């Protein structure tokens, strides 16, 4: 089975490590960590991850500017993006307009993130 690679865009080192540990332990996914959206765009172009998990609280560029830049490049426009947020303001039309694969509630335990991501992307979490 091919190992999945997730690009995590989050500015908090402790959160990055916790998510990375969870993904590695529960499903063997590799995690690329970017501390800013600008670095995330660079990593997305260079590594072409299977998916991106964007923490909406990460500063440096808002989500919609990030998505606009990501979708404007042929090499990255196909990468599914999920966001981590307590975003009750995100409605289905907005998610569809920006091709957001799903929203993971930040209050959910990190150990449940792989299951949610696999569900959003129709992956077997052990892939």
């Amino acid at each position: 089975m091919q190992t999945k690679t997730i690009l995590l865009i989050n500015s908090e080192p402790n959160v990055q490590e916790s998510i990375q540990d969870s993904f590695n332990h529960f499903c063997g996914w590799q995690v690329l960590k970017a501390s800013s959206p600008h670095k995330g765009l660079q990593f997305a172009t260079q590594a072409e991850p299977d998916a991106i998990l964007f923490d909406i609280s990460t500063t440096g560029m808002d989500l919609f500017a990030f998505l606009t830049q990501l979708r404007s490049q042929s090499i990255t426009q196909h990468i599914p993006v999920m966001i981590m947020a307590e975003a009750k303001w995100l409605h289905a039309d907005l998610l569809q307009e920006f091709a957001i694969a799903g929203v993971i509630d930040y209050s959910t335990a990190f150990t449940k993130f792989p299951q949610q991501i696999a569900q959003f992307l129709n992956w077997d979490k052990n892939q």
Side-chain angles (χ1 to χ4, degrees), residues 9-117:
I9 302 173
N10 178 285
S11 58
E12 297 292 326
N14 291 340
V15 172
Q16 288 179 348
E17 292 302 318
S18 295
I19 291 173
Q20 181 179 28
D21 289 347
S22 175
F23 286 10
N24 284 299
H25 179 74
F26 289 103
C27 48
W29 295 345
Q30 295 179 337
V31 177
L32 301 174
K33 300 177 285 189
S35 59
S36 73
H38 292 288
K39 288 184 189 223
L41 286 169
Q42 290 174 346
F43 284 160
T45 303
Q46 295 167 354
E48 297 182 58
D50 296 298
I52 296 172
L53 181 57
F54 185 102
D55 184 343
I56 202 163
S57 68
T58 302
T59 59
M61 179 188 305
D62 74 35
L63 171 66
F64 304 111
F66 172 82
L67 289 169
T68 299
Q69 288 186 33
L70 185 79
R71 301 293 182 228
S72 71
Q73 300 177 49
S74 61
I75 198 166
T76 59
Q77 65 186 5
H78 69 283
I79 301 172
V81 176
M82 288 143 302
I83 58 174
M84 291 171 38
E86 292 182 44
K88 295 177 174 55
W89 56 270
L90 287 169
H91 52 82
D93 292 339
L94 192 58
L95 297 176
Q96 186 175 16
E97 178 183 345
F98 284 94
I100 297 170
V103 179
I104 296 177
D105 187 338
Y106 211 134
S107 64
T108 303
F110 295 144
T111 57
K112 295 186 181 195
F113 282 17
Q115 179 182 6
Q116 290 180 4
I117 290 170

